[in-house]
Amino acid sequence: MSPLARSANMRVLLTGATGLLGGALLELLLAEGHEVRCLVRAESPNASRLDAGLVEILRGDASDEEDLYRALKGADALVHVAGIEHSPSVVRAARRAGVERVLVVGSTSVHSAYAFRSSPKLEMEELVRGSALAWTIVRPSMIYGSELDKNVHRLLRFLDRSPVFPIFGPGTNLWQPVYYEDCARGVLEAAKRPVSVHRSYDLPGAEPLTYLDLVKTAAWALGREPRIVRLPIEPVRRALVAAERLRLPLPVDSGQVTRLREDKAYPYEDARRDLDYAPRPFREGVALEVSRLRRLGILRS
Ligand SMILES: NC(=O)c1ccc[n+]([C@@H]2O[C@H](COP(=O)([O-])OP(=O)(O)OC[C@H]3O[C@@H](n4cnc5c(N)ncnc54)[C@H](OP(=O)(O)O)[C@@H]3O)[C@@H](O)[C@H]2O)c1
């Protein structure tokens, strides 16, 4: 029987299970009764997030073909969340292990007009597409929703503490962040459904919103009304470039500031049609994140 035909109960090798998206995906896989083996780096500081009673934990690195090959023995499918840059070892190990069904998590940054951002990921996607595997590529937009995210979590903490919020440029560029559990649901459906073989899907949030609206919605969820201060982008970008030449440690890099000029809005008709993908609006997701961060004592108010 093909792995896809018995996808009701897959034996899955999952990478990235100690992270934001992989952790949510692991919960969904287990809730559906799939057997999950997690490949976790020996030096992972987060291995304690996994319950060895519920999942098999194998130590290894996703950039290492041998580690992956060893971990793939007996698996029906590989769900690779730990970074599309490991695609060379992922493709080779899956072929050697005879595991055809491979889902790789990429990023909507392949759509960026800035080659420094899109090219490396496009190159990896080409490698996956050129393989003889039953591949699927999914591309989350910016993922948020818990203390593990590296964006909205920080934004909320800043807004929680500061009555003033600085914005680079007019703040009119578009963003479409996706709640981590919605994204994980999309990844799971893509891994399970035969229709997704040899297809790529963008998995963004429900709708694009301007950066200004994103900040105001996050502040609303906190019950705050910060004073917005606009800073010009170009001098800031040039200052960052100069600081990078001096190798100074910086909270943001010039590439991130350059990309602030770019709209990050993504239609997702394909995912809606094939995967029943229905992410929640940012307003709902950020309210959930605020509740969670308050429960954890991460937010003061
Ligand atoms: N977060 C976003 O906004 C965003 C947006 C678009 C696309 N994505 C993509 O979505 C995926 C998941 O993102 P995330 O936010 O969940 O990331 P994350 O929270 O940083 O988690 C990354 C996970 O990958 C594991 N990992 C990293 N390198 C590994 C390696 N060489 N071998 C084995 N495991 C390794 C980490 O394990 P340790 O416990 O050892 O650190 C962790 O479990 C990534 O592929 C990312 O590129 C993320």
Side-chain angles (χ1 to χ4, degrees), residues 16 18-21 41 44 46 61-62 81 83 86 105-106 140-141 143 150:
T18 54
L20 173 66
L21 177 61
R41 287 191 283 196
S44 169
N46 308 311
D61 198 294
V81 181
H86 306 306
V105 175
S141 59
I143 309 171
K150 294 161 193 90

Side-chain angles (χ1 to χ4, degrees), residues 67 88 218 223:
D67 285 355

